[in-house]
Amino acid sequence: MDPEARFRAIFNVAYPALGRYALYRGVSKADAEDLVGATLEVAWRRIDDIPADDPLPWLYAVARNLLMNMQRRNRRDAALIARLPAPEADPAHEGKSHDVDHEKVRAALNSLSEDDQELLKLVAWDGLAPSQVAVVLGVSAVATRTRLHRARRRLAARLELDDAAGIARCPDTNIRNPKTVEVTDV
Amino acid sequence: MSDASTKDALLLELAAARPPVPTQEFDVATAQAEALRQRIMAGDSVAIDPLIGDDLAPGRVRGQRQPRWIVGSALGIAVALFLVGFGVVPVLSEHGGVVPAGASSWKLVSEVGWHVQPSIGSDPSALDCPSTSTCYATGLSFPPPYTSAAPQPHVVIEVTHNGGATWHESPLPLGGVSIGSITCPLVNTCMLPGRTEGHGRAMGVMFTTTDGGDSWSSLPLPLTGGFIPLLSCASPLNCVSLNDANGPDGLGIRYMSSATNDGGHTWTSSPLPGTFRAYALQCSSSGRCIAGGYRPTAYRVSDPGTEGGSAAALYSSDDGRTWSPASVPPSGRILLYVSCSDSTHCVGISQTLGGPRHFASHLLDTDDGGKSWFTSSGAIPRLNLLTISCPSREVCWVGGNRAGDGGVGVVYSTNTGGKNWIVGQLPKDGGLLLGPVLGLSCSGRTHCLALANPSTSSIGRQILLSEDGTS
């Protein structure tokens, strides 16, 4: 397949997948567009390097690196952005009930290490198999399975401890405060 | 339930807790997707610096043959750089034309253990040199180790009286204060806006030094909102401050102007016109003041990067007591930095906010004291400009980093009032390209100091550069 046809095929698969990848990680729509564009630009330049059988994990790895760079830049620009007012509560949404169970799970996830979070998100949110996650994270498949096993156990332990301790929520955000529960490695 | 099924149930629960994302987003059938694909395949960089983007790909195979166009491009760039280095070829074009080479050349002066803040305020730079020997830098000091695990940084004012060779910290009389940009009507007389939290409420404070930073006094500064006020002092007695306040209905934001003619002992306040939000302020001794910023479509707009509004400016002819809207071309969302060479001529950086692709900067000029602004005639590449210093109508310097997420520092200068812009040749630090240039203060065509990050990953240390006069 010539490079252009191959890129078109990759683009059609990767564009929505990378968009979801970015949005699931909480970036804005504008940043998600940039991330997708930048990732696919790298893909076009490196079309010969992309695994023919399974391009998505390779692309997720690029997106992940770009996202980390973007987050570093955003921290640098924090002083700039901090001058903008925080979004005010939308009266149309005030009073609506929150999905407490989902918040509870997300709060537990957020309390894990960044490595654990990314591992679990790649599996549960992006639908990757452990062997694909291994490509994204640049580790062996065996190591990925081991880390996934441990991360799942830590998440389960966190949820159980949270249930036992009761839900301590931040007053403003209705999000569980991760500092309220300490969990040792299991 | 078996252990395995428990794990599966857990992952299912986690999958169900995935944040809600509109399913129609990133539909490959949209015109937006098609435009992106065409731009990429046409070789048009869409967001990321290409030299850095390649390093982000996984599993690079050593010795693998690169596509011929990449090899050709690299060879072409190398030849071009070689020729530029010898002044053989033009380096930047104006309206697609060419200008003679003559890039400004910079050298490393020192490494400093503090970090200027990306300032927004009356001074367009976090570095202010009211003379060739005296400079003030406002920023943060990061105790070692210089990693993300470092203790909380604290505010510092650093002063040099020997052109940057040595710096000393200038202690403020109050602790726990956040500061804005410094404004220096005289070489040894400077003012600094601050905000401090005490007794459960925030207070504004204006610090003043009259001895070149050896000591500071403080007076209350009007504060009605959540941000550090902007401050510009045309003389030791005449200062103007802009600060945010609640909108007319108690929601959103509007800005207030406060003026003093007795060095900050008394202030007169009035609201700025409409929804204008101030990001830059410059006042001159003629009584003329210019405010650059953003005019949202409503007081409650929270994100200039994605919501309605456009770059805007106001001007005052009576030391900031009354303000009128200026005419500003619709380029960019925020007139973020302004540098004035005299009471009528100023250059501003208009910028959009959002992702890397949206950090495009445009230069705007005014020749009538800020009443009307025009897009600068000379073209510069797509950059994220963070600082500007215009010592005269003809000479202007801008600094920042290349567009995209590369963060590679750049400096451009003009000696022709913005008709032609010339790229500065920045040195490397330990073989690495410098990061963004955050501070720039220039007193002429060849006398400039700049503060740059040593690399995109640096924390708490910066590199001081000087233009070496060989341009």
Side-chain angles (χ1 to χ4, degrees):
Chain A
M1 189 183 290
D2 70 89
E4 290 197 4
R6 181 155 185 253
F7 180 73
R8 285 174 194 274
I10 289 173
F11 187 96
N12 288 342
V13 173
Y15 182 75
L18 291 171
R20 287 193 297 270
Y21 172 88
L23 293 173
Y24 288 154
R25 275 140 188 90
V27 304
S28 68
K29 172 95 184 318
D31 279 350
E33 288 172 358
D34 285 325
L35 189 70
V36 171
T39 305
L40 290 167
E41 188 182 346
V42 173
W44 172 236
R45 286 201 307 273
R46 301 282 302 276
I47 191 77
D48 291 344
D49 293 346
I50 302 176
D53 56 339
D54 194 5
L56 267 185
W58 191 93
L59 292 165
Y60 279 136
V62 175
R64 182 167 178 263
N65 289 335
L66 290 169
L67 181 62
M68 287 192 289
N69 270 5
M70 184 182 284
Q71 287 165 340
R72 277 197 290 270
R73 190 211 65 233
N74 287 345
R75 281 195 287 272
R76 192 186 72 222
D77 294 329
L80 188 74
I81 304 300
R83 288 184 55 81
L84 306 175
E88 291 163 358
D90 183 349
H93 289 87
E94 285 175 4
K96 284 191 175 179
S97 62
H98 294 272
D99 190 333
V100 175
D101 287 342
H102 290 175
E103 285 188 7
K104 173 184 159 188
V105 174
R106 285 200 289 267
L109 180 67
N110 290 339
S111 69
L112 301 181
S113 71
E114 289 192 4
D115 285 347
D116 280 355
Q117 286 184 46
E118 183 64 9
L119 190 61
L120 291 167
K121 287 175 184 175
L122 286 167
V123 173
W125 292 6
D126 303 306
L128 298 191
S131 59
Q132 293 174 307
V133 173
V135 175
V136 179
L137 301 181
V139 298
S140 71
V142 173
T144 300
R145 290 180 190 283
T146 304
R147 286 170 56 180
L148 178 60
H149 176 72
R150 290 175 178 163
R152 283 199 289 199
R153 288 185 60 184
R154 279 191 277 267
L155 178 64
R158 181 77 61 168
L159 285 166
E160 286 173 12
L161 274 184
D162 285 357
D163 284 341
I167 298 174
R169 293 180 186 281
C170 300
D172 294 331
T173 60
N174 203 29
I175 303 275
R176 183 191 300 273
N177 182 353
K179 293 179 180 175
T180 57
V181 179
E182 292 297 331
V183 177
T184 54
D185 196 355
V186 290
Chain B
M1 188 180 288
S2 72
D3 185 48
S5 63
T6 302
K7 289 172 185 172
D8 289 342
L10 182 63
L11 286 180
L12 285 173
E13 189 178 2
L14 185 57
R18 191 168 58 189
V21 171
T23 53
Q24 71 273 19
E25 300 287 6
F26 294 96
D27 183 348
V28 75
T30 60
Q32 182 181 353
E34 179 60 18
L36 174 66
R37 188 186 60 74
Q38 288 182 7
R39 286 178 62 196
I40 291 173
M41 296 181 74
D44 182 13
S45 180
V46 294
I48 196 77
D49 183 89
L51 297 175
I52 290 180
D54 275 354
D55 293 334
L56 297 168
R60 186 174 187 84
V61 180
R62 286 187 181 279
Q64 182 163 352
R65 186 176 64 84
Q66 295 299 306
R68 276 177 295 180
W69 69 270
I70 292 180
V71 175
S73 299
L75 186 61
I77 291 169
V79 171
L81 289 176
F82 176 81
L83 294 175
V84 166
F86 285 91
V88 177
V89 295
V91 292
L92 196 66
S93 63
E94 177 207 358
H95 299 310
V98 295
V99 295
S104 63
S105 180
W106 292 74
K107 65 182 178 185
L108 295 176
V109 177
S110 62
E111 178 183 317
V112 295
W114 36 272
H115 195 117
V116 296
Q117 297 179 90
S119 72
I120 306 166
S122 54
D123 192 289
S125 164
L127 178 69
D128 189 7
C129 300
S131 76
T132 54
S133 56
T134 296
C135 296
Y136 303 84
T138 57
L140 298 172
S141 179
F142 290 75
Y146 300 133
T147 68
S148 57
Q152 282 295 309
H154 65 274
V155 161
V156 292
I157 302 165
E158 297 283 342
V159 183
T160 178
H161 293 296
N162 53 18
T166 58
W167 295 79
H168 67 272
E169 189 170 332
S170 175
L172 289 173
L174 294 176
V177 65
S178 305
I179 59 173
S181 293
I182 198 166
T183 172
C184 298
L186 302 173
V187 171
N188 289 320
T189 299
C190 299
M191 289 78 168
L192 191 66
R195 174 190 167 92
T196 182
E197 307 279 346
H199 306 293
R201 60 188 286 261
M203 294 187 301
V205 57
M206 184 175 85
F207 297 105
T208 301
T209 179
T210 57
D211 54 14
D214 287 345
S215 62
W216 294 83
S217 59
S218 64
L219 287 170
L221 182 67
L223 182 80
T224 50
F227 303 142
I228 301 167
L230 306 180
L231 181 68
S232 183
C233 297
S235 76
L237 296 177
N238 291 89
C239 296
V240 176
S241 173
L242 304 180
N243 67 95
D244 62 299
N246 286 335
D249 57 357
L251 297 173
I253 285 179
R254 80 181 310 175
Y255 262 77
M256 305 290 291
S257 172
S258 302
T260 177
N261 57 12
D262 59 8
H265 291 278
T266 58
W267 295 85
T268 304
S269 298
S270 60
L272 291 182
T275 60
F276 180 84
R277 295 181 189 174
Y279 284 77
L281 174 64
Q282 284 275 287
C283 292
S284 66
S285 55
S286 67
R288 178 72 76 165
C289 287
I290 289 174
Y294 162 62
R295 182 180 295 113
T297 52
Y299 291 106
R300 291 187 59 180
V301 165
S302 60
D303 184 359
T306 58
E307 298 187 53
S310 58
L314 303 176
Y315 66 96
S316 168
S317 303
D318 55 7
D319 280 322
R321 280 165 177 77
T322 60
W323 293 84
S324 302
S327 167
V328 178
S331 57
R333 280 291 173 85
I334 300 178
L335 184 52
L336 200 51
Y337 308 99
V338 174
S339 178
C340 297
S341 57
D342 54 51
S343 61
T344 59
H345 178 258
C346 303
V347 181
I349 297 173
S350 175
Q351 197 172 67
T352 54
L353 292 175
R357 191 169 74 241
H358 305 290
F359 264 94
S361 303
H362 315 269
L363 291 175
L364 302 177
D365 293 338
T366 178
D367 273 320
D368 58 6
K371 201 172 178 180
S372 52
W373 292 79
F374 302 93
T375 304
S376 183
S377 60
I380 58 172
R382 196 164 59 90
L383 301 170
N384 177 29
L385 295 179
L386 301 167
T387 179
I388 182 169
S389 181
C390 300
S392 73
R393 284 175 173 254
E394 291 74 32
V395 178
C396 203
W397 301 76
V398 293
N401 60 271
R402 297 207 302 246
D405 201 28
V408 176
V410 291
V411 170
Y412 277 83
S413 62
T414 179
N415 301 320
T416 58
K419 293 185 177 66
N420 314 96
W421 289 88
I422 300 169
V423 66
Q425 302 295 317
L426 298 183
K428 288 187 175 179
D429 174 42
L432 297 174
L433 293 170
L434 293 177
V437 175
L438 297 176
L440 190 60
S441 189
C442 307
S443 57
R445 182 176 170 179
T446 60
H447 201 97
C448 259
L449 281 182
L451 277 161
N453 286 355
S455 74
T456 52
S457 60
S458 70
I459 294 176
R461 52 185 284 268
Q462 285 192 309
I463 299 295
L464 182 69
L465 308 167
S466 71
E467 209 285 334
D468 68 6
T470 59
S471 60

